[in-house]
């Protein structure tokens, strides 16, 4: 069977289309002024329209886009446009990055450089495939129905195979956060990991699901309810009558600008907003893009069951707040859960600061992507250690009170973090012979020399790098424990046990859901049984009696002398 042709592509909008756009904007008819409670304001749209007319340079944006290799191909009867930017390094991991509405491939332009050509050879690197969704931008308009989450995921799996990638990761935002996990469901043998900025999992209506939710999760539900009550009209209309709206969007750039701007926060630079809106207008895809909602709303039910591919969430304050209890019902293998607050300013709840994280918080998102896929690398010899490190990262990302007391007697959260970081440096130093902590992990000061994540990350990197040099069958790996050298799996398990339990300490102390999962606890319980007894009174208290209702996490904690029901 012949492989469908991949055709090189350049964005080249005819000048007559740009002239027509200018004429329509200059001749626009404006509605009367109304306050913000009624929707996007005249002031907001007028400022963007004036910028579009007087300052926005489509040709400059076109040149920026054309600086990257672009292609067209046909998949399932439709044209698919995509950027394909390969790293110069042979060890790069392929990633497919998927946007949503009213975003576009513009969302991901800022991450291309740091992901494909990082400044350090020690940083992981990636080959990037960035498609325009079917019916969006240069992929559209679509001619056939059914292009929702599942059909798009199948198309992306075909696209990655067509490009010769038989092992790759999937990254997504907005609609991409629904499509990317579905790619993993369709091709679990190929997808090494899924990284998203939202996990759209909601309550089922069972009251038991809402019992004992943390304050943070309750706030997330309250924000979701606010969004449903005040901002959800676009979703309802797209899902029910997209073509009725399409007449207005196809005929009026001012109407398109106002409609799409409702979901572009006021804190965003007009260049970013208008690059996205202009792409819709000049490709005549305003109408076909919103049909994505209709197709999902009218799709046939798919087989139930959670996804199983390793999954990472990097969510940003101001955006949709995922709730882990619900997410774990739909995704059975969440191995990284991080929350960031990077917004310098916000225009209020309508602003959704952080939604376009690849543009708004490029360095933070790039760092999260790098760490996750580095931990998923097929050559990683110690997955249990990688999982424990992710648990510790996840725990500190959700801390609001760094002085809170913890299950570790007389230590607050900051001191537990210092101790955990020092222990990881201790393992790294034992293996490499250098680079131990410059403080006493058993007398933590409670004062950090840098932000918590900046303080922790080098210690985890050092431990992971040290263990990467250890052969799987090594019988005597140096450790900082009184037992001295241990077989390689037990040494790595010891470092993982330390990180995972302190992740539980921090999460428990700060009212978060525990990142110490039953799966990880099951892996660590045999390690604890081999190591804990000689350390009683030094690192662990006497074991507590087990309860018949204990799961793996509770059994592990009780064996290590920790009360699973501890409260401050």
């Amino acid at each position: 069977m012949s492989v469908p042709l991949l055709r090189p592509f350049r964005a080249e909008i005819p000048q007559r289309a740009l002239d027509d756009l200018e004429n329509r904007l200059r001749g626009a008819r404006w509605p009367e002024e109304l306050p913000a409670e009624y929707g996007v304001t005249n002031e907001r749209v007028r400022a963007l329209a004036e910028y579009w007319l007087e300052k926005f340079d489509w040709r400059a944006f076109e040149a920026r886009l054309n600086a990257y290799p672009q292609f067209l191909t046909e998949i399932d009867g439709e044209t698919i446009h995509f950027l394909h930017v390969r790293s110069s390094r042979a060890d790069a991991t392929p990633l497919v990055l998927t946007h949503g509405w009213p975003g576009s491939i513009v969302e991901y332009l800022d991450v291309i450089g740091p992901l494909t050509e990082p400044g350090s050879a020690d940083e992981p690197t990636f080959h990037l495939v960035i498609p325009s969704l079917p019916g969006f931008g240069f992929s559209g308009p679509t001619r056939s129905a059914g292009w929702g989450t599942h059909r798009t995921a199948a198309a992306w799996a075909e696209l990655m195979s067509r490009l010769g990638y038989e092992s790759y990761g999937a990254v997504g935002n907005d609609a991409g956060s629904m499509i990317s996990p579905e790619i993993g469901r369709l091709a679990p043998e190929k997808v090494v990991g899924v990284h998203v900025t939202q996990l759209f999992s909601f309550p089922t209506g069972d009251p038991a699901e809402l019992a004992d939710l943390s304050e943070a999760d309750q706030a997330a539900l309250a924000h979701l309810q606010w969004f449903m009550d005040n901002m959800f009209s676009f979703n309802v209309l797209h899902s029910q009558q997209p073509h009725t709206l399409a007449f207005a969007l196809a005929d009026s750039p001012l109407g398109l600008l106002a409609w799409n701007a409702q979901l572009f926060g006021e804190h965003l630079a007009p260049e970013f907003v208008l690059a996205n809106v202009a792409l819709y207008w000049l490709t005549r895809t305003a109408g076909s893009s919103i049909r994505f909602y209709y197709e999902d709303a009218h799709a046939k039910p798919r087989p139930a069951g959670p996804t199983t591919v390793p999954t990472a969430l990097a969510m940003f304050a101001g955006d949709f707040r995922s709730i882990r209890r619900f997410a774990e019902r739909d995704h059975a293998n969440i191995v990284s859960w991080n929350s960031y607050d990077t917004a310098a300013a916000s225009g209020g709840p309508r602003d959704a600061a952080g939604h376009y994280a690849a543009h708004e918080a490029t360095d933070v998102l790039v760092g999260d992507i790098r760490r996750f896929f580095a931990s998923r690398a097929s050559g990683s010899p110690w997955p249990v250690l990688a999982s424990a490190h992710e648990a510790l990262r996840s725990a500190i990302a959700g801390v609001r009170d760094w002085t809170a007391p913890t299950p570790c007697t007389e230590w607050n959260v900051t001191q537990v973090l210092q101790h955990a970081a020092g222990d990881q440096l201790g393992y790294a130093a034992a293996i490499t012979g250098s680079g131990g902590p410059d403080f006493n992990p058993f007398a933590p000061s409670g004062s950090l020399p840098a932000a918590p994540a900046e303080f922790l990350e080098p210690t985890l990197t050092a431990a992971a790098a040290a263990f990467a040099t250890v052969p799987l069958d090594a019988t005597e790996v140096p450790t900082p424990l009184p037992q001295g050298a241990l077989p390689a799996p037990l040494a790595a398990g010891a470092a993982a046990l330390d990180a995972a339990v302190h992740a539980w300490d921090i999460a428990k102390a700060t009212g978060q859901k525990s990142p110490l999962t039953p799966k990880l606890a099951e892996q660590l319980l045999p390690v604890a049984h081999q190591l804990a007894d000689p350390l009683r009174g030094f690192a662990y208290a006497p074991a507590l009696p087990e309860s018949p209702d204990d799961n793996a996490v509770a059994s592990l904690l009780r064996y290590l002398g920790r009360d699973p029901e501890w409260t401050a």
Side-chain angles (χ1 to χ4, degrees), residues 218-536:
Q218 291 177 27
L221 278 180
H223 182 71
L224 174 61
Q225 188 62 55
W226 178 92
F227 187 85
M228 297 284 287
D229 293 342
N230 294 275
M231 297 285 290
F232 209 59
S233 58
F234 76 92
N235 192 302
V236 175
L237 185 51
H238 291 187
S239 299
Q240 294 181 351
Q241 296 192 67
H243 197 57
T244 302
L245 176 62
F247 287 96
L249 302 185
D251 190 57
S252 170
L254 190 69
L256 174 65
L257 178 60
W259 189 253
N260 287 25
Q262 66 180 304
L263 292 172
F264 283 114
E266 295 185 18
H267 69 285
L268 292 167
E271 283 286 332
F272 177 76
V273 176
L274 290 168
N276 281 280
V277 175
L279 187 58
Y280 281 73
W281 176 261
L282 294 170
T283 57
R284 301 189 178 191
T285 54
S288 57
S289 65
I290 64 176
R291 291 203 298 269
F292 183 93
Y293 293 80
Y294 181 92
E295 305 299 357
D296 266 10
H298 294 80
K300 295 179 180 179
R302 296 287 174 180
T307 67
T308 59
V309 168
T311 299
L313 172 73
M315 61 181 173
F316 290 78
D319 191 22
F320 176 85
R321 304 292 291 175
S322 301
I323 296 176
R324 189 155 190 165
R325 178 180 300 182
F326 306 146
E328 288 181 338
R329 179 196 64 217
D330 299 331
H331 307 282
N333 197 5
I334 299 173
V335 299
S336 177
W337 182 283
N338 292 320
S339 177
Y340 301 102
D341 189 350
T342 59
S346 171
R350 293 179 182 270
D351 207 19
H355 182 73
Y356 300 97
H359 171 70
E360 298 177 61
T362 305
D363 291 345
V364 175
L365 184 66
V366 164
D368 204 281
I369 290 172
R370 284 173 175 165
R371 289 190 295 271
F372 171 64
F373 284 104
S375 74
R376 307 322 306 167
S378 58
S380 177
W382 308 112
V384 68
L385 182 60
S387 295
H389 284 177
E390 285 298 334
L392 195 52
R393 291 187 181 103
S394 177
I396 71 164
V399 173
R400 295 295 178 263
D401 180 5
W402 288 94
T403 65
T406 73
C408 296
T409 307
E410 298 181 359
W411 285 357
N412 65 20
V413 173
T414 302
Q415 292 169 306
V416 171
L417 171 60
Q418 285 179 294
H419 174 76
D423 280 355
Q424 294 303 303
L425 287 178
Y427 282 98
I431 294 170
T432 64
S434 62
D438 57 3
F439 59 92
N440 183 356
F442 295 95
S445 66
S447 177
L448 301 180
E454 294 176 10
F455 170 73
L456 175 65
E457 195 56 41
T459 71
L460 302 187
T461 300
F467 275 102
T469 68
V470 175
L472 296 176
D473 58 354
T475 58
E476 293 192 358
V477 178
T479 76
L481 299 176
Q483 292 96 322
L486 297 169
L490 188 57
L497 180 67
D498 187 274
V501 171
H502 289 310
W504 178 84
D505 291 332
I506 293 171
K508 190 70 173 177
T510 53
Q512 304 178 69
K513 183 176 178 61
S514 170
L516 175 55
T517 63
K519 178 180 178 181
L520 183 54
E522 288 174 3
Q523 294 173 301
L524 295 175
L525 194 54
V527 176
H529 285 157
Q530 295 180 73
L531 295 178
D533 283 341
L535 302 176
R536 303 289 184 192

